[in-house]
Amino acid sequence: MDATSQRLLMCRPTYFAVDYAINPWMDPNAPVDAALAVRQWEQLRQTYLDLGHTVEEITPVPGLPDMVFAANGGTVIDGKAMAVQFRDPQRADEAPAFRAWFEAAGFEMYDPKHVNEGEGDVLLAGDHLLAGTGFRTAHAAHAQLQEVFGYPVITMQLVDPRFYHLDTALTVLDERTVAYLPEAFSAGSQAVLRRLFPDAVHATMADAEVLGLNAVSDGRHVVLPAQATDLAAKLRDRGYETIGVDLSELRKAGGGPKCCTLRLRQGKASK
Ligand code: ARG
């Protein structure tokens, strides 16, 4: 399997905390080790560098504890960047910060007309854009994504509040394959996934409950939470190399490796 070297955007969790609850993972009364969160994040960043990826960083903003989850900052494909609109007011101010970063980096900008939480809910799988809805990104946003990016958008209906973003329930492994938790999707979406990806890896609830599906693949190496041992074994059986990382502190906010990582896709020539 060929690994693709990726350009990634991350945000250091300098101001990370769990101060509010906007998903079932978050408990503002539970202790969080902020220093450990930073060390774990640094390890994730180093993992990407060791794999030969390029990591760019956006400056964290005080008062925005979830900004570490850069995947929610936008959707960037073929040199076009679609900014985001968060469902929850607590995260609203992240949107303009990410938008300014994309603009300064020279991407062609598009503004969202509906709630759209970026790559948390929008995943490019081969020639299809898989777009989640049910908790965060509005169904109406899917039409705009198709219009802007020109990829057929496939709506994925999420049904379990613990798997509120598509990237908590499904991982794109390469151009042809995905891994997912069937129970996180409506019956119709499960049928669509079986049709599109007959060879997909099915994850167990135990894998999903440690956010094992919140993984980042370059087509060969899959970076995933170390606790997702069954999923890692299944991926190795399929020929992927798995790299476990521990993001125990960020998981208290409902985020894993993929949430911390936004893929910056250039124009066609340099994917
Ligand atoms: N606390 C954040 C939220 O609820 C976590 C975001 C995780 N990001 C992701 N791409 N799944 O919005």
Side-chain angles (χ1 to χ4, degrees):
M1 287 184 229
D2 288 337
T4 320
S5 153
Q6 303 184 340
R7 184 179 175 204
L8 306 171
L9 179 63
M10 297 181 76
C11 180
R12 182 174 291 269
T14 312
Y15 306 107
F16 176 68
V18 179
D19 290 341
Y20 49 78
I22 56 172
N23 70 52
W25 303 79
M26 302 177 87
D27 174 2
N29 298 312
V32 172
D33 185 336
L36 179 58
V38 173
R39 289 199 299 279
Q40 292 177 332
W41 177 90
E42 281 171 346
Q43 226 150 46
L44 176 65
R45 180 177 171 278
Q46 190 58 48
T47 301
Y48 293 141
L49 295 175
D50 292 345
L51 288 172
H53 301 323
T54 304
V55 177
E56 303 205 34
E57 287 183 48
I58 180 172
T59 309
V61 177
L64 297 176
D66 273 336
M67 194 171 166
V68 57
F69 302 117
N72 298 126
T75 304
V76 185
I77 303 170
D78 297 339
K80 300 175 186 174
M82 176 117 146
V84 296
Q85 184 180 318
F86 285 93
R87 180 195 68 176
D88 299 288
Q90 294 94 330
R91 297 197 67 183
D93 290 345
E94 295 178 40
F98 280 100
R99 191 192 190 288
W101 192 93
F102 300 132
E103 199 155 42
F107 290 101
E108 190 180 324
M109 287 307 308
Y110 294 86
D111 287 307
K113 295 192 195 126
H114 309 276
V115 170
N116 179 330
E117 298 201 354
E119 250 198 343
D121 273 323
V122 186
L123 297 172
L124 184 64
D127 282 331
H128 292 107
L129 265 184
L130 304 180
T133 192
F135 298 102
R136 300 293 182 87
T137 297
H139 186 216
H142 296 185
Q144 192 190 3
L145 286 160
Q146 176 162 294
E147 205 52 42
V148 166
F149 293 111
Y151 288 82
V153 171
I154 312 285
T155 291
M156 292 284 120
Q157 194 72 48
L158 295 163
V159 296
D160 183 329
R162 286 171 302 168
F163 310 113
Y164 55 95
H165 275 141
L166 181 62
D167 71 358
T168 63
L170 182 144
T171 308
V172 176
L173 295 170
D174 56 37
E175 305 259 298
R176 253 166 270 112
T177 331
V178 300
Y180 64 96
L181 176 73
E183 306 93 291
F185 296 91
S186 68
S189 295
Q190 289 184 38
V192 170
L193 285 169
R194 285 195 299 271
R195 201 181 287 279
L196 281 179
F197 307 106
D199 299 325
V201 174
H202 289 191
T204 61
M205 185 55 90
D207 290 323
E209 280 177 337
V210 291
L211 287 176
L213 288 161
N214 198 252
V216 175
S217 173
D218 64 11
R220 174 166 179 198
H221 312 94
V222 184
V223 178
L224 79 172
Q227 295 82 358
T229 48
D230 289 350
L231 180 59
K234 281 183 193 164
L235 295 175
R236 284 194 297 272
D237 282 349
R238 297 281 189 107
Y240 297 95
E241 278 177 46
T242 59
I243 300 155
V245 290
D246 187 7
L247 291 182
S248 63
E249 299 315 289
L250 296 176
R251 194 164 72 224
K252 294 173 182 170
K258 170 62 206 163
C259 299
C260 296
T261 314
L262 178 67
R263 177 93 182 266
L264 300 168
R265 295 181 178 82
Q266 308 300 317
K268 288 242 154 44
S270 62
K271 251 178 176 185

